[in-house]
């Protein structure tokens, strides 16, 4: 269908649109017109992604003189592929109506592990090893050696891509990661570097949050993105946690042992170069004396991770004299590792701010703040000079330099917390030193400052007024939408008289008392574990049990993989039982430090934040059960605390609107009776349009009437 929202013709690839999608587009357009940021909460299963894509691409088409780029950020590769598949459908529809002028280039960008087509490199087991395998074949010095010695292995896909030079382009269209791999194989070009090159020309780029929020990645991938871009963070209910993780570092004894091994290897490499090619080390020293940029215009294959500090906080000056010589820099790192080893050797929990920690490093190890700031870039320069390709072997010393640069750069918004053991297992010594960021606004500030509009959206952003405070920004639009339904297909209730405990405890108790055996006579039981492969297998078998009519129960934990990213649509999920309120571990020293910072800096009370955080997790869990309007499901909150207004009021409005007062204090018998009634009702044929006079699908004609009413 095609309709107007003020001066924009919106192309929407379906015959009908939900009222909330239409309202969502109107609010989104307001934000784009104002060139400002917005917060939009849209119920799950109401077509949020296609509403976003339709409005923003149509907005860009209607303003050909000032086209805007869409940068769409997702949490997972699965979500990225789903978004690109929706965009492909929309793009075909727009071309059908507008012809060639609607053509765009849209690409997904992910790590080498997800885009590489070289079987030798792909054989590596993890992302870091794939990255290193790629560098071993594509680094500039490796290719220079291969030019003289044909026995030196290189990557044929990358060589072909380089030879194609400016001809290596992707024609207009929408490309999923799979499409890019197929295209790369057909052309014989490397899909990863091709995609990296094309993101600056693409109209739509879909990639992970980290590519904008983690300075180490954003500094390499996203620095060329133009200001006239709309950035969308989808499923952004946990965006504050992503921001904090991007600027936090943990150091354990294993890290320090690994760093010592790395330093020994670097020392050997320095000695080797002194004997065979001392001029390289001299050239590096001279470059650092002159204060030239460490990176300059490096070949794309040599670019390692960027500086972990935010762009405005990186020193634009010469490297300090005491770390210009490679061996002097090594001595500084050895002293730093030794100092950290001593700090880990403690029997008490210690908490310190960065300023006093840096002062302590200076007095005990003789390393000043400026030297610490330069550690990451200096290590990067040295590893390039020494032509080190197996970067996956050097992750430990990278972590130490990452820590040093951050602790030397930031005085506020961080704490250093040293714990001799995990409080949940006090008998096992496992010391950890954590540089913990408490201020989510730090990592996202460059994004808000740089781009025209940033859209933060999810099915669970309640209470919506807390996000501007946590992220320290001023949205021009902040709206929460309810779900228009032809029938009450959500049945939330609070079960206050029953028992609950931790998942393992529940399963063990149920097993001992025979309840589990009783359940298994009716349905199979599957359990989420910390092992990804085990959980994937359990999920697969759970679905098979549902498909064949045997039925199943799946036990999982809030804040786990299943609760966040897996949909249980249709017959795969008809009931979610939420045992307890998923509060964070409130004795965590890192959490306590963050709560203190939020209270002192943003005047957010500890109780308010903890309740907000627990309820957004609970809403995520129960939201798994309904993935479209034709779907239906029950939500049982098995804890009397949900019956309190201060708790349940933090749930999204689209759940709250179905939670009746009579369902706030139920026994098991009463819940069972309501469940039977609800399921009988839902078993009736589903009418899309709705026979009860509720308008939940709008046609083009309806929208025209609405437009006339609005303008009349």
């Amino acid at each position: 269908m095609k309709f107007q929202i003020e001066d924009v013709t919106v192309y929407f690839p379906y015959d009908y649109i939900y009222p909330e999608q239409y309202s969502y587009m109107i609010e989104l357009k307001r934000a784009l017109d104002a060139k400002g940021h917005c917060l939009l909460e849209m119920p799950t299963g109401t077509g949020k992604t296609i509403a976003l894509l339709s409005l923003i691409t149509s907005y860009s088409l209607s303003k050909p003189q000032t086209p805007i780029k869409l940068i769409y950020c997702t949490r997972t590769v699965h979500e990225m592929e789903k978004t690109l598949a929706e965009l492909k459908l929309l793009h075909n529809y727009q071309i059908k109506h507008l012809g060639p002028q609607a053509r765009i280039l849209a690409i997904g960008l992910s790590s080498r592990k997800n885009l590489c087509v070289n079987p030798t490199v792909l054989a590596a087991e993890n992302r870091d090893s794939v990255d290193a395998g790629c560098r071993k074949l594509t680094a500039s010095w490796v290719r220079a050696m291969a030019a003289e010695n044909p026995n030196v292995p290189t990557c044929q896909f990358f060589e072909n891509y380089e030879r194609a030079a400016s001809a290596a382009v992707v024609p207009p269209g929408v490309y999923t990661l799979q499409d890019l791999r197929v295209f790369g194989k057909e052309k014989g070009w490397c899909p990863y570097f091709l995609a990296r090159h094309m993101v600056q020309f693409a109209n739509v780029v879909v990639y992970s949050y980290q590519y904008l929020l983690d300075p180490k990645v954003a500094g390499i991938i996203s620095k060329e993105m133009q200001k006239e871009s709309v950035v969308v963070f989808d499923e952004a209910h946990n965006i504050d946690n992503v921001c904090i993780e991007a600027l936090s570092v943990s150091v354990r004894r294993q890290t320090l042992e690994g760093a010592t091994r790395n330093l020994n290897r670097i020392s050997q490499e320095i000695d080797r170069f002194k004997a065979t090619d001392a001029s390289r080390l001299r050239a590096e020293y001279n470059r650092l004396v002159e204060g030239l940029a460490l990176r300059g215009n490096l070949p794309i294959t040599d670019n390692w991770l960027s500086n972990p500090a935010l762009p405005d906080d990186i020193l634009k000056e010469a490297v300090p004299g005491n770390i210009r010589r490679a061996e002097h820099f090594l001595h500084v790192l050895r002293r730093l590792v030794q100092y950290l080893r001593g700090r880990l050797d403690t029997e008490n929990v210690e908490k310190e701010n960065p300023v006093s920690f840096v002062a302590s490093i200076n007095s005990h190890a003789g390393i000043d703040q400026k030297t610490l700031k330069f550690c990451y870039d200096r290590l990067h320069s040295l590893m390039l000079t020494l032509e080190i390709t197996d970067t996956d072997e050097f992750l430990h010393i990278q972590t130490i330099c990452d820590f040093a640069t951050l602790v030397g750069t930031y005085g506020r918004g961080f704490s250093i917390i040293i714990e001799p053991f995990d409080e949940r297992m006090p008998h096992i010594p496992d010391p950890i030193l954590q540089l913990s960021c408490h201020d989510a606004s730090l990592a996202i500030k460059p994004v808000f400052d740089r781009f025209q509009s940033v859209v933060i959206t999810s099915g669970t952003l309640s209470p919506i007024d807390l996000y501007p405070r946590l992220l320290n920004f001023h949205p021009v639009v902040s709206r929460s939408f309810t779900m228009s339904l032809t029938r009450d297909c959500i049945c939330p209730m609070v079960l206050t008289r029953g028992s609950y405990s931790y998942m393992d405890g529940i399963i063990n108790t149920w097993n001992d008392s025979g309840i589990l055996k009783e359940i298994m006579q009716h349905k199979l039981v599957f359990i989420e574990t910390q092992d990804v492969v085990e959980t994937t297998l359990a999920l697969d078998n759970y679905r098979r049990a549902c498909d064949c009519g045997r039925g199943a129960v799946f036990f999982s934990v809030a804040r786990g993989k299943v609760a966040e990213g897996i949909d249980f649509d249709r017959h795969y999920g008809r009931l979610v039982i939420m045992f307890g309120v998923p509060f964070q571990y409130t004795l965590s020293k890192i959490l306590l430090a963050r709560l203190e910072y939020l209270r002192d800096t943003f005047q957010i009370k500890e109780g308010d934040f903890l309740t907000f955080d627990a309820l957004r997790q609970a809403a995520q869990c129960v939201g798994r059960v309904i993935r479209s309007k034709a779907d239906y499901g029950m939500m049982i909150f098995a804890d009397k605390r949900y019956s309190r207004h201060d708790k349940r009021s933090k749930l999204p409005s689209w759940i709250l609107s179905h939670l009746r007062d009579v369902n706030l204090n139920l026994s098991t018998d009463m819940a069972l009776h309501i469940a039977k009634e609800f399921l009988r009702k839902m078993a009736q044929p589903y009418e899309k349009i709705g026979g009860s006079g509720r308008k939940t699908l709008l046609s083009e004609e309806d929208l025209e009437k609405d437009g006339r009413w609005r303008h009349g």
Side-chain angles (χ1 to χ4, degrees):
M1 65 195 294
K2 194 173 78 165
F3 56 90
Q4 290 294 125
I5 295 183
E6 294 165 348
D7 56 336
V8 171
T9 305
V10 179
Y11 295 89
F12 189 74
Y14 299 104
D15 294 335
Y16 292 94
I17 187 170
Y18 297 143
E20 54 269 45
Q21 285 177 310
Y22 182 53
S23 304
Y24 186 93
M25 288 182 183
I26 289 169
E27 296 298 335
L28 182 54
K29 183 181 181 295
R30 274 181 58 208
L32 298 186
D33 286 343
K35 292 183 166 51
H37 312 314
C38 66
L39 271 168
L40 298 170
E41 182 183 57
M42 175 89 147
T44 53
T46 51
K48 167 168 47 75
T49 303
I50 196 65
L52 273 162
L53 295 172
S54 293
L55 189 280
I56 295 171
T57 54
S58 299
Y59 192 92
S60 195
L61 284 169
S62 70
K63 301 181 189 318
Q65 322 80 5
T66 53
I68 52 172
K69 187 187 195 96
L70 170 58
I71 303 170
Y72 198 106
C73 300
T74 66
R75 294 172 310 164
T76 64
V77 172
H78 175 65
E79 284 170 7
M80 185 191 304
E81 294 290 69
K82 261 170 53 177
T83 302
L84 285 160
E86 289 255 41
L87 183 57
K88 199 178 273 192
L89 180 81
L90 170 64
H91 185 231
N92 291 340
Y93 180 77
Q94 289 172 337
I95 285 176
K96 195 174 104 182
H97 276 269
L98 288 169
Q101 72 178 83
R103 287 197 183 283
I104 60 166
L105 174 61
I107 56 175
L109 180 63
S110 187
S111 63
R112 287 172 175 87
K113 190 171 182 354
N114 294 318
L115 279 171
C116 176
V117 288
N118 185 319
T120 320
V121 176
L122 273 178
E125 64 214 23
N126 59 44
R127 196 183 67 195
D128 293 317
S129 304
V130 170
D131 288 353
C134 174
R135 287 172 71 84
K136 285 171 192 170
L137 300 178
T138 60
S140 57
W141 56 87
V142 173
R143 297 178 65 226
M145 282 182 348
E148 294 174 14
N149 178 2
N151 293 327
V152 173
T154 57
C155 174
Q156 208 46 53
F157 292 100
F158 183 74
E159 294 304 320
N160 292 342
Y161 163 73
E162 283 284 282
R163 272 196 292 276
S166 58
V169 291
V170 180
V174 178
Y175 295 84
T176 63
L177 301 183
Q178 174 62 14
D179 294 336
L180 284 169
R181 286 195 296 268
V182 169
F183 181 78
K185 276 184 180 171
E186 278 174 10
K187 293 283 190 180
W189 299 338
C190 167
Y192 173 74
F193 285 109
L194 179 63
R196 281 268 303 268
H197 172 62
M198 293 306 296
V199 287
Q200 54 191 315
F201 309 110
N203 309 84
V204 181
V205 178
V206 184
Y207 58 24
S208 152
Y209 279 33
Q210 274 70 21
Y211 285 27
L212 274 184
L213 295 177
D214 185 339
K216 296 193 290 298
V217 188
I220 301 283
I221 303 288
S222 303
K223 63 178 189 292
E224 303 298 327
M225 299 295 191
Q226 56 263 43
K227 180 176 171 46
E228 297 74 33
S229 297
V230 176
V231 174
V232 172
F233 288 107
D234 196 6
E235 298 297 334
H237 45 276
N238 283 333
I239 193 166
D240 53 314
N241 294 334
V242 178
C243 292
I244 276 169
E245 283 161 19
L247 293 175
S248 298
V249 186
S250 296
V251 175
R252 294 187 132 88
R253 277 188 181 143
Q254 302 92 297
T255 320
L256 298 174
E257 287 160 9
T260 304
R261 287 195 301 274
N262 294 161
L263 292 172
N264 292 340
R265 160 92 186 274
I266 291 171
S267 180
Q268 289 165 8
E269 293 293 317
I270 291 171
D271 291 343
R272 186 169 68 80
F273 268 83
K274 275 183 177 172
T276 58
D277 192 0
S279 61
R280 281 189 69 84
L281 291 167
R282 268 200 307 279
E284 183 195 41
Y285 176 78
N286 293 334
R287 192 176 78 244
L288 298 176
V289 168
E290 289 166 25
L292 298 177
L294 287 178
R295 297 175 185 285
N297 290 319
L298 288 175
I300 191 169
T301 51
D302 293 358
N303 245 332
W304 191 26
L305 290 173
S306 192
N307 193 299
L310 298 163
D312 291 348
D313 303 321
I314 297 170
L315 287 180
K316 311 287 193 294
E317 53 186 277
V319 171
N322 63 331
I323 56 171
R324 286 177 193 159
R325 285 199 188 284
E327 49 271 63
H328 291 175
F329 176 52
L330 237 57
H331 286 311
V332 165
L333 290 184
R334 286 193 194 279
R335 292 203 306 275
L336 178 59
V337 168
Q338 192 57 40
Y339 172 81
L340 294 175
R341 191 175 280 124
R343 292 301 302 261
L344 272 182
D345 197 12
T346 179
E347 291 179 8
N348 304 309
V349 174
E350 297 174 19
K351 181 187 162 209
E352 210 169 331
N353 66 48
V355 176
S356 70
F357 193 84
V358 167
S360 171
I361 293 177
N362 201 356
S363 63
H364 290 88
I367 307 169
D368 65 12
Q369 183 183 4
K370 190 174 175 187
T371 304
L372 289 170
K373 275 191 181 187
F374 273 101
C375 278
Y376 201 90
D377 276 341
R378 182 66 189 92
L379 178 71
H380 182 270
S381 170
L382 182 57
M383 288 183 73
L384 284 177
T385 302
L386 298 176
E387 299 183 343
I388 287 171
T389 53
D390 52 345
T391 44
D392 58 330
E393 298 293 329
F394 288 83
L395 297 175
H396 295 299
I397 195 63
Q398 286 175 48
T399 301
I400 299 299
C401 290
D402 189 350
F403 172 85
T405 294
L406 287 171
V407 83
T409 304
Y410 297 104
R412 285 192 72 251
F414 288 77
S415 293
I416 289 90
I417 296 168
I418 307 169
E419 297 180 85
F421 47 75
D422 185 327
E423 287 191 354
R424 286 163 288 192
M425 291 180 285
H427 52 288
I428 302 171
D430 182 22
I432 182 169
L433 182 151
Q434 294 169 91
L435 174 68
S436 179
C437 175
H438 307 314
D439 191 343
S441 69
L442 289 173
I444 202 167
K445 184 179 185 295
V447 182
F448 285 139
D449 290 350
R450 183 172 156 203
F451 295 109
Q452 187 169 303
S453 290
V454 177
V455 180
I456 292 175
T457 188
S458 177
T460 46
L461 289 177
S462 297
I464 205 163
D465 59 344
L466 202 54
Y467 282 89
R469 293 163 72 192
L470 282 173
L471 302 176
N472 197 20
F473 78 111
H474 301 288
V476 293
V477 174
S478 182
R479 272 291 305 273
S480 187
F481 301 91
T482 55
M483 192 190 276
S484 59
L485 296 167
T486 57
R487 56 183 186 166
D488 294 324
C489 61
I490 305 171
C491 179
M493 45 185 145
V494 178
L495 192 68
T496 56
R497 300 189 282 290
S499 70
Y500 68 85
S501 182
Y502 291 107
M503 185 171 79
D504 286 354
I506 287 174
I507 293 166
N508 286 330
T509 308
W510 286 11
N511 191 36
D512 295 343
S513 62
I515 293 175
L516 209 56
K517 196 175 176 184
E518 212 173 307
I519 290 173
M520 288 180 76
Q521 286 176 5
H522 303 281
K523 295 182 188 296
L524 298 178
V525 172
F526 298 95
I527 301 168
E528 177 186 18
T529 69
Q530 289 179 315
D531 185 296
V532 177
V533 178
E534 271 183 15
T535 300
T536 306
L537 192 63
L539 267 171
D540 190 43
N541 286 327
Y542 168 84
R543 289 183 193 280
R544 286 160 77 179
C546 295
D547 287 340
C548 73
R550 176 73 172 83
V553 177
F554 197 96
F555 284 92
S556 65
V557 291
R559 303 176 193 275
K561 281 269 187 289
V562 172
E564 271 292 320
I566 307 294
D567 293 345
F568 292 90
D569 57 331
R570 298 170 295 120
H571 62 294
Y572 297 124
R574 292 300 186 207
L575 164 67
V576 175
I577 303 177
M578 183 80 222
F579 289 101
V581 183
F583 285 108
Q584 287 193 57
Y585 177 58
T586 46
L587 292 179
S588 155
K589 298 293 181 291
I590 287 177
L591 176 60
L592 292 172
R594 185 184 179 192
L595 291 173
E596 187 183 321
Y597 181 82
L598 290 175
R599 187 190 63 219
D600 296 345
T601 311
F602 299 120
Q603 290 72 55
I604 297 172
K605 293 176 186 166
E606 289 99 324
D608 287 351
F609 178 78
L610 288 171
T611 301
F612 149 77
D613 181 62
L615 271 291
R616 67 174 161 179
Q617 301 302 332
Q620 268 301 296
C621 293
V622 297
R624 304 290 96 203
V625 81
I626 185 124
R627 308 312 294 169
S628 78
K629 293 192 183 188
D631 211 350
Y632 61 87
M634 292 178 294
M635 305 167 175
I636 293 184
F637 297 95
D639 192 303
K640 65 182 174 199
R641 285 173 291 182
Y642 288 106
S643 61
R644 283 167 40 188
H645 182 264
D646 66 315
K647 294 286 183 289
R648 72 174 187 277
S649 64
K650 305 288 191 295
L651 288 168
S653 55
W654 59 272
I655 295 177
L656 270 182
S657 60
H658 294 273
L659 184 55
R660 300 182 184 86
D661 288 348
V662 293
N663 287 0
L664 286 176
N665 185 12
L666 300 176
S667 65
T668 312
D669 290 348
M670 290 154 75
L672 210 58
H673 173 72
I674 292 166
K676 282 178 180 171
E677 289 290 308
F678 173 75
L679 290 172
R680 276 195 202 105
K681 199 166 143 193
M682 290 301 108
Q684 306 313 307
Y686 171 60
E687 292 180 37
K688 255 190 178 180
I689 303 293
S692 55
R694 302 185 197 181
K695 197 81 175 168
T696 65
L697 285 173
L698 303 176
S699 63
E700 259 184 67
E701 195 185 337
D702 293 325
L703 295 178
E704 275 173 30
K705 280 182 200 161
D706 182 75
R708 283 199 296 274
W709 173 78
R710 278 172 184 276
H711 295 110

